[in-house]
Amino acid sequence: MDNDGAQVSRSIPRFGSFRSLTSSASLRKPDELAKDPSSDRCPSSKHGRHQQTSSQPSHILTPKPITESPSTNQQDIAHWEQTLTSFTIDSQGDARNLDYKSNHGAPPFRSVYDRALGTKTCYGSAVHRTGLVDREKASLSKQTCFDFKRSMILRINPNPNSDPLKDDRADFIPLLPSEGRKRKRQVYSTPRSSHEGPETRVHNDTGNETDSTSAAEGGFEYSTEEPIGTPMSALDRALQQRRVALSSRTKVDPTSWHTWVALVELQDELDGFHDTASQRNYTNAEIRSNAEVSLSVYSKALQSVVAPEGREKLYLGMISKATVVWEKSKLWSEWQNIIKEQPLSLRLWKRYLDFHLVAFSGSTLEKTKSRYVDCLDILRDVRRRDDLGHIQQSKVYSIQLLVLLRLTLLLREGGYAEVAVAIWQAHMEFEFNMPPEFLRVRQPLGTSSTDEDRVSSFEHFWDSEAPRIGEPNAKGWLNYDQNDIETGRPLEAEEPSTPDGTNVFKSWVTAERKAGRSSNTPSRTTDETFDDPYKIVLFSDVKYALIESPAPSDNHAVVGAFLCFCHMPRWSSRSRQENESSYNDQFVRNEFLHDTLSALTMMGMHNSGLGTEDRCGIDNAASHSNNATLSNAFEFHMSEYERSSDTLFANCSQWFSVFGPWTDNSKAVPNEFVLRTLNVLVAQDVGGDDLAEYLLAFELHVSPTTARKSAKTLLKKRPTSLRLYNAYALLEHHLGNIGVATKVWDTAIQMSAKMDETARRDAILLWRSRVWQYLSSGQTLEALQYLSRYGSENVMEGLLDAKDQSSDGKIANLRLRLQSAFSAGRDHMLSLGHFTHAVLYLELLILSDYLTQNSSIQAAQNSFRSNLMLLDPKAPSTQSAHALYRQSFAHLLFTHATHKGTFSPSIIRSFLAESIAAFPHNTIFLSLYAWNESRFRIDDRVRGVMRDVVLSSKENDELSDHVTSHFFAVKTDMRRGLVQGSNQSAVRGTFERALSSEGAAHSAGLWKLYFLHEHSNGDLKRAREVFYRAISACPWAKEIYMLAFDYLVVGMSEAELTGIYDMMVEKELRIHVAL
């Protein structure tokens, strides 16, 4: 080879073995090298893989040097040429890969203005894709989507036996080693610097570690060094400095639990566990490593922290990490010590109950039930302590109700609905119908000499089978007379059918479903039970439910727990605040588990019959979402917002209604049973006017013909209750009797002038309801005229007639007078601490500015913001009032948008975004936000809010990880449709993210929806996979097992179905009809 040729050959790098100084030819720039026709890297080369400039990233795999003749590797080159055309290098990254959990490839089109070049014109401006890139011009920019911190570095595996001279003379470089070589390569390990050889950066979409064996076989090795100058290096240094500072603070003040918690959160941030935007899956090794480090920090913290609040927080975090590392036996032992130390912590007890249910896979229903009963015994012993005051007693009683609720839900979901209902009957009889002779001292069982007499008396009442609370003609324990027992008419049960021989599984599931529907309430010995012993509940089955509240003021919690058991909407803000994290978790909010039809309807899927394949999936929901109607914004069944009169009696086609999307509870608890129970409680003045108003709204929904009579009966017993007068007027207005409703409002307003100050406080509610009835129908002038009556001596005569409405002077005077009157009422109620009444005055203040300024939404917004700081959204006393204040303004914005039509969408968008940030799980704000954005076909904003605000919860924060929000995320994705950017993979990804979160991983209702979604698309393979995952996550839920017999009879073999049946028997789930 001549000198010129040698000089050119020396420009080829020798990789790891090349350490000598390069010649001048090797230092030539890439563009100069490209112009050299003698260079192998010339763009005109026949090998298209070399068409790469120096500006492109280093993740292109660089080949390995060889020592053999180039003729022996021609097949390798041909193979690489063919393989190269099958891949597209997306150097900028595609955000859609995170949504679909796979590399779906960079699309061959790019976004230009409102259209996408390369796509069909029918999509038009409806296509809004964040992942559209120009593949031919894509380059690695500073805003690259790759995460350099989590990327792995590969470099060429050095070969000590290679000859540099042969490498220089070779005219090609093979990428893979030839298996036919006589001389095998030797791999050695030598520490190398980052500049010794070319390195290859590989991005792993799933976040899983690549097998080192496959890398070595490919001629590469992993580099353990961090790349220099990556965008994350500065951030890493800042995080490390924070960790050093926090470690120093823990040494200075080791009793500060805030510092310890911040140190653990910083460790999660260092490990990337707080990076919600990445959405990558972490390996088991990464999770265990993070958990072990965090556990060491928690262990040190618990040795120094003594504050009960701090120890509770540390224990919650420690248990969450320990579930990854510790065995169940060690977890059980640790939980025993924690509960013994912290018996008054509701959050710890809730996690303790979760632990028992999650561990159900290795247990049976009877064993789990006995553990819950043991929890009740522990709490009963705690209440007997003499050092507990009334506040501590109330806390323990709330925990007892939580255990009772979770126990009865477990029994009902396992098939024992009769026992679950009987437990609540016994508890409410013992609490509300106790005879007077046992009410002298309200003490827990075991602390009074009358305990045996009370229990013995109640046992006689129960064994007599006299009608109990919720049953027809029930008089209760209070009026029990053993000489005059009216057991009622015996129930005639229908004889259960038996499976036939044609299709044994289909006939069995039909017979089992039929028997289950008739077993939702307890039976008596006189009823025809057909040898089913579980239908008759004995006293020994409910004895542990005899729990007495510390004081009559605490019995409202019983009502909230019972309604939660019935899957009914909560009835007061007070019960919501006290049990926010307990009654809104994945083990309680399972409305869809027993109500398949409502679930399919809410998700936009239309069911044509259980067990059939005539169903439509998400593509059929596209037309449903394209023509978004007003009612679609209100039909989310799992409502989560503050209750008020307007939501209790609202028309479900005009505003959110508490009972609008709610159905008959899928027969879990019959409506008649719930209605009779509420009537008994209201008759005893339990819950006051709040529960009475709730009862009228519920009866209006399930029995409109009797609701009017019930309202009049209540008004006779409570003639000074202005709130009940308002409820009766709303009831008549809902039934279409506008004249009767108007007369009731006017009469009640006149009566309020003669009442005392305490009774007159609810008069503002009458004014508010009447004005809103005008606004809901678009009668703004009539609303203003009626509002002008406020504050006048004669409230029946308005101070503003039709002629005065065009006079600017009179309108301005009216606005000032109304502002003065409503401001005075607002200040008075704030001084008294009646924040709900203050919100009513604030709402009328906003409406007065809105109506007196020609329906100016800007004026209403200014009035709203000027009073916003009066109610702190974080303070427990004003949190619910602040939410009500925002809900009322949202109602005005929605009414203005639907009736006026002239408004700026940004006003609604900005307000709802602020409201969602303050109350991320409020379904009114979420639904309206989705409705507003669907009108403009920009649904990615909804997904962004759900991802960045609503579902971006921190670990161990029960209040931020609501299962209802995960249901809402699934609903919005299924309603979007194909044209608006959704598809099967997107919905599947939403389900997977929800079921991988801590707050929804064991939600039986969500698992059922996931199964129905996959089955509705005709994908039986995926449906089977989801089914087996569901029974693994929720092994106590009988309804999940029944999905196989309802939907998978065709897709499963007889042996599989028989095995599922045997599994139900093994778990001791209730089976009515033997297979």
Side-chain angles (χ1 to χ4, degrees):
M1 180 178 295
D2 54 6
N3 295 334
D4 295 336
Q7 186 176 3
V8 173
S9 64
R10 284 196 297 272
S11 64
I12 300 177
R14 298 169 185 164
F15 301 101
S17 61
F18 179 69
R19 290 185 175 85
S20 60
L21 294 176
T22 58
S23 62
S24 59
S26 64
L27 300 178
R28 293 158 62 185
K29 297 182 179 179
D31 54 348
E32 297 176 358
L33 187 64
K35 297 178 182 180
D36 191 348
S38 62
S39 175
D40 291 337
R41 308 183 75 86
C42 178
S44 61
S45 175
K46 64 180 179 179
H47 302 305
R49 67 181 181 277
H50 296 307
Q51 299 179 12
Q52 190 81 323
T53 62
S54 61
S55 62
Q56 291 187 340
S58 60
H59 66 281
I60 307 300
L61 296 178
T62 308
K64 188 176 182 179
I66 62 170
T67 58
E68 296 293 334
S69 173
S71 61
T72 60
N73 293 290
Q74 295 298 329
Q75 296 181 353
D76 293 338
I77 296 177
H79 172 71
W80 174 252
E81 290 288 345
Q82 296 176 0
T83 308
L84 184 65
T85 59
S86 303
F87 295 89
T88 299
I89 300 172
D90 182 15
S91 57
Q92 282 188 337
D94 190 353
R96 294 294 180 181
N97 292 342
L98 302 178
D99 294 337
Y100 300 116
K101 298 293 183 181
S102 63
N103 185 10
H104 70 290
F109 47 79
R110 57 191 177 92
S111 176
V112 176
Y113 299 103
D114 290 335
R115 296 182 179 273
L117 295 182
T119 59
K120 297 181 180 180
T121 58
C122 61
Y123 288 104
S125 60
V127 178
H128 296 276
R129 295 284 301 274
T130 59
L132 301 184
V133 296
D134 187 352
R135 294 191 300 175
E136 298 178 357
K137 297 182 179 181
S139 62
L140 187 62
S141 61
K142 294 182 178 180
Q143 288 86 15
T144 178
C145 296
F146 290 139
D147 189 349
F148 285 96
K149 182 179 180 181
R150 295 181 186 141
S151 301
M152 295 174 292
I153 296 178
L154 296 179
R155 60 185 169 197
I156 300 299
N157 213 351
N159 188 356
N161 298 322
S162 62
D163 188 354
L165 296 178
K166 290 184 179 182
D167 293 343
D168 292 345
R169 290 191 296 267
D171 60 352
F172 70 95
I173 302 176
L175 296 174
L176 297 175
S178 176
E179 296 181 358
R181 297 183 184 277
K182 298 180 180 179
R183 182 177 59 187
K184 297 184 179 180
R185 303 174 185 269
Q186 301 292 330
V187 179
Y188 69 95
S189 177
T190 304
R192 305 170 63 89
S193 62
S194 59
H195 60 274
E196 281 184 320
E199 296 178 345
T200 301
R201 180 175 298 278
V202 178
H203 181 69
N204 194 336
D205 286 337
T206 62
N208 297 327
E209 296 179 357
T210 308
D211 188 11
S212 59
T213 304
S214 60
E217 292 176 355
F220 300 94
E221 69 175 3
Y222 288 110
S223 173
T224 59
E225 300 170 351
E226 185 71 13
I228 300 176
T230 62
M232 297 295 295
S233 59
L235 179 60
D236 287 341
R237 287 194 296 270
L239 293 177
Q240 293 292 347
Q241 292 175 359
R242 283 181 54 196
R243 183 167 64 176
V244 172
L246 288 175
S247 300
S248 302
R249 289 172 57 185
T250 57
K251 297 178 181 179
V252 175
D253 185 12
T255 60
S256 175
W257 64 271
H258 296 280
T259 306
W260 291 104
V261 172
L263 186 60
V264 174
E265 293 178 352
L266 180 61
Q267 182 62 41
D268 292 342
E269 191 173 355
L270 285 169
D271 295 339
F273 284 86
H274 279 179
D275 188 6
T276 57
S278 66
Q279 299 180 355
R280 84 176 185 94
N281 298 324
Y282 297 93
T283 63
N284 293 331
E286 290 174 324
I287 297 174
R288 286 184 61 89
S289 175
N290 173 266
E292 290 174 353
V293 174
S294 300
L295 283 175
S296 64
V297 178
Y298 282 124
S299 177
K300 294 180 181 178
L302 288 169
Q303 295 176 3
S304 304
V305 176
V306 294
E309 180 185 2
R311 295 188 68 84
E312 177 193 61
K313 183 70 175 179
L314 292 173
Y315 276 132
L316 288 171
M318 183 190 72
I319 288 297
S320 179
K321 298 293 185 179
T323 53
V324 181
V325 182
W326 292 353
E327 298 291 337
K328 288 184 179 180
S329 58
K330 187 176 181 180
L331 279 172
W332 173 265
S333 177
E334 187 65 26
W335 265 121
Q336 295 292 99
N337 299 330
I338 292 174
I339 292 301
K340 184 178 180 180
E341 179 190 331
Q342 301 282 334
L344 304 181
S345 174
L346 178 64
R347 299 176 67 186
L348 285 173
W349 273 102
K350 174 182 173 296
R351 295 290 292 272
Y352 185 45
L353 298 176
D354 295 349
F355 168 73
H356 285 306
L357 208 53
V358 172
F360 187 90
S361 58
S363 181
T364 61
L365 190 139
E366 187 62 31
K367 290 182 180 179
T368 306
K369 172 191 171 184
S370 63
R371 290 171 182 172
Y372 278 23
V373 175
D374 293 341
C375 293
L376 291 174
D377 294 337
I378 296 174
L379 292 168
R380 187 175 286 109
D381 294 337
V382 173
R383 286 193 59 185
R384 294 171 182 168
R385 288 167 42 179
D386 297 333
D387 59 336
L388 297 183
H390 173 69
I391 297 178
Q392 289 78 13
Q393 289 280 353
S394 299
K395 287 183 178 180
V396 179
Y397 181 62
S398 299
I399 299 173
Q400 288 177 305
L401 289 178
L402 174 61
V403 177
L404 203 65
L405 173 63
R406 296 288 291 272
L407 171 61
T408 52
L409 288 174
L410 171 67
L411 292 173
R412 186 176 65 189
E413 292 176 5
Y416 301 91
E418 304 97 331
V419 181
V421 173
I423 289 175
W424 282 108
Q425 283 183 306
H427 178 70
M428 287 189 290
E429 287 283 357
F430 196 79
E431 174 65 28
F432 300 114
N433 287 330
M434 185 178 294
E437 59 267 23
F438 301 123
L439 290 174
R440 297 174 183 175
V441 181
R442 298 181 66 91
Q443 294 179 347
L445 293 177
T447 60
S448 175
S449 59
T450 60
D451 286 346
E452 296 182 2
D453 297 337
R454 283 194 295 177
V455 175
S456 178
S457 176
F458 186 82
E459 183 177 3
H460 283 297
F461 162 73
W462 190 270
D463 291 339
S464 67
E465 295 189 340
R468 305 151 189 162
I469 187 171
E471 298 176 354
N473 305 319
K475 297 180 181 179
W477 182 27
L478 177 63
N479 302 312
Y480 166 66
D481 185 0
Q482 58 182 355
N483 298 322
D484 183 19
I485 300 178
E486 182 183 355
T487 59
R489 182 180 179 181
L491 298 178
E492 297 180 359
E494 186 176 355
E495 184 176 2
S497 57
T498 57
D500 53 33
T502 56
N503 194 324
V504 62
F505 293 109
K506 286 188 176 181
S507 60
W508 174 81
V509 73
T510 302
E512 180 68 19
R513 293 286 190 188
K514 185 178 180 181
R517 286 192 295 268
S518 62
S519 302
N520 47 21
T521 54
S523 301
R524 294 184 290 269
T525 56
T526 56
D527 299 335
E528 295 181 2
T529 59
F530 295 99
D531 298 330
D532 191 347
Y534 295 105
K535 287 190 174 183
I536 301 175
V537 183
L538 304 178
F539 175 75
S540 59
D541 298 325
V542 299
K543 183 178 180 179
Y544 50 81
L546 304 183
I547 307 171
E548 188 178 2
S549 62
S553 58
D554 297 317
N555 57 24
H556 71 278
V558 183
V559 182
F562 171 71
L563 293 178
C564 193
F565 168 76
C566 299
H567 285 162
M568 290 185 61
R570 285 194 291 268
W571 64 281
S572 69
S573 300
R574 182 180 179 184
S575 62
R576 187 196 67 81
Q577 291 178 357
E578 295 178 352
N579 305 287
E580 174 70 18
S581 62
S582 303
Y583 295 169
N584 199 29
D585 66 359
Q586 56 185 326
F587 300 105
V588 177
R589 298 301 300 269
N590 275 325
E591 290 92 327
F592 296 143
L593 182 61
H594 305 282
D595 195 353
T596 304
L597 184 58
S598 296
L600 294 175
T601 303
M602 187 202 71
M603 297 299 173
M605 301 161 60
H606 305 284
N607 182 27
S608 60
L610 288 177
T612 63
E613 297 182 3
D614 186 16
R615 303 163 187 267
C616 45
I618 186 174
D619 292 340
N620 291 335
S623 60
H624 205 277
S625 59
N626 293 339
N627 301 318
T629 61
L630 299 181
S631 60
N632 289 342
F634 310 137
E635 60 184 27
F636 184 59
H637 291 231
M638 299 183 68
S639 61
E640 182 60 33
Y641 50 79
E642 297 296 332
R643 312 292 184 243
S644 60
S645 298
D646 59 333
T647 56
L648 284 173
F649 297 93
N651 188 337
C652 58
S653 63
Q654 297 179 346
W655 188 240
F656 294 88
S657 175
V658 171
F659 297 105
W662 184 84
T663 61
D664 62 351
N665 225 17
S666 69
K667 308 297 187 302
V669 180
N671 292 331
E672 297 79 9
F673 182 90
V674 179
L675 190 60
R676 287 190 291 263
T677 302
L678 292 179
N679 274 304
V680 171
L681 299 179
V682 171
Q684 297 186 12
D685 201 15
V686 177
D689 291 343
D690 289 345
L691 188 59
E693 184 183 39
Y694 184 93
L695 168 63
L696 292 178
F698 176 63
E699 189 169 1
L700 174 65
H701 180 77
V702 299
S703 180
T705 56
T706 62
R708 182 184 293 106
K709 181 180 179 180
S710 299
K712 293 180 178 179
T713 303
L714 283 174
L715 286 174
K716 290 180 180 178
K717 296 180 180 179
R718 308 178 188 183
T720 60
S721 176
L722 296 178
R723 187 166 187 174
L724 290 183
Y725 274 104
N726 181 70
Y728 175 50
L730 290 172
L731 187 149
E732 293 286 0
H733 191 278
H734 188 88
L735 294 175
N737 303 322
I738 308 299
V740 177
T742 303
K743 184 178 180 180
V744 172
W745 273 313
D746 294 339
T747 303
I749 289 175
Q750 287 181 325
M751 290 171 50
S752 64
K754 303 177 182 179
M755 296 180 179
D756 56 23
E757 182 183 358
T758 303
R760 197 168 55 245
R761 289 174 185 169
D762 289 332
I764 191 66
L765 182 61
L766 301 169
W767 289 94
R768 184 249 179 221
S769 299
R770 187 69 187 101
V771 172
W772 262 111
Q773 298 310 316
Y774 283 122
L775 289 177
S776 299
S777 58
Q779 299 175 312
T780 55
L781 297 179
E782 290 78 0
L784 177 60
Q785 186 176 5
Y786 192 89
L787 194 60
S788 66
R789 300 179 183 181
Y790 187 84
S792 62
E793 296 180 359
N794 188 358
V795 295
M796 298 304 298
E797 296 181 2
L799 300 180
L800 189 70
D801 53 23
K803 297 180 180 180
D804 296 332
Q805 293 179 2
S806 59
S807 176
D808 295 338
K810 291 186 177 181
I811 293 294
N813 292 334
L814 175 62
R815 180 167 62 252
L816 292 176
R817 183 175 64 82
L818 293 177
Q819 287 179 350
S820 177
F822 294 140
S823 299
R826 172 203 63 191
D827 297 338
H828 180 61
M829 291 301 164
L830 288 175
S831 63
L832 295 177
H834 298 294
F835 301 109
T836 303
H837 289 81
V839 170
L840 296 175
Y841 282 99
L842 287 172
E843 187 173 358
L844 287 179
L845 181 61
I846 295 174
L847 290 179
S848 64
D849 290 337
Y850 173 75
L851 294 173
T852 56
Q853 300 187 48
N854 195 20
S855 301
S856 173
I857 197 64
Q858 187 63 45
Q861 186 181 25
N862 295 336
S863 179
F864 166 78
R865 296 196 176 278
S866 63
N867 296 278
L868 188 60
M869 300 306 296
L870 297 175
L871 301 170
D872 187 2
K874 300 300 182 181
S877 58
T878 58
Q879 187 177 23
S880 61
H882 187 95
L884 280 173
Y885 184 48
R886 286 186 173 273
Q887 288 177 192
S888 64
F889 189 65
H891 194 181
L892 178 60
L893 288 176
F894 178 80
T895 304
H896 180 85
T898 53
H899 288 85
K900 297 299 180 180
T902 56
F903 69 99
S904 175
S906 60
I907 295 179
I908 299 180
R909 183 181 301 114
S910 61
F911 165 76
L912 292 175
E914 294 175 3
S915 301
I916 292 174
F919 302 95
H921 309 289
N922 189 299
T923 53
I924 286 183
F925 303 142
L926 292 175
S927 300
L928 289 181
Y929 191 88
W931 167 80
N932 184 61
E933 298 305 323
S934 65
R935 299 164 67 240
F936 303 100
R937 304 291 179 87
I938 311 178
D939 284 335
D940 277 342
R941 286 176 176 167
V942 181
R943 303 185 74 186
V945 167
M946 295 298 300
R947 180 185 63 250
D948 301 332
V949 180
V950 180
L951 299 178
S952 62
S953 59
K954 292 184 178 180
E955 193 175 0
N956 305 329
D957 190 359
E958 294 89 345
L959 298 179
S960 60
D961 196 5
H962 280 205
V963 68
T964 54
S965 299
H966 291 290
F967 275 100
F968 187 86
V970 171
K971 176 215 170 187
T972 53
D973 258 10
M974 296 188 73
R975 287 298 184 105
R976 293 177 67 201
L978 182 62
V979 177
Q980 294 182 350
S982 184
N983 54 33
Q984 303 292 348
S985 299
V987 177
R988 188 176 296 118
T990 304
F991 271 112
E992 291 292 343
R993 283 190 294 271
L995 293 170
S996 62
S997 65
E998 186 177 356
H1002 301 280
S1003 174
L1006 192 59
W1007 278 108
K1008 180 178 179 179
L1009 286 180
Y1010 193 13
F1011 172 84
L1012 293 176
H1013 167 70
E1014 296 293 356
H1015 186 271
S1016 66
N1017 299 320
D1019 195 340
L1020 294 181
K1021 181 179 179 181
R1022 288 187 181 273
R1024 291 177 75 257
E1025 294 176 356
V1026 172
F1027 168 76
Y1028 282 114
R1029 291 173 59 192
I1031 61 176
S1032 176
C1034 309
W1036 65 88
K1038 176 187 174 182
E1039 182 65 25
I1040 298 297
Y1041 294 88
M1042 298 296 290
L1043 293 175
F1045 303 98
D1046 279 329
Y1047 299 92
L1048 298 178
V1049 175
V1050 179
M1052 284 187 172
S1053 63
E1054 182 178 350
E1056 285 183 291
L1057 293 173
T1058 304
I1060 294 172
Y1061 177 87
D1062 294 338
M1063 192 183 304
M1064 295 172 62
V1065 176
E1066 179 184 352
K1067 295 298 181 182
E1068 298 181 356
L1069 304 181
R1070 172 79 172 280
I1071 296 179
H1072 300 84
V1073 181
L1075 181 61

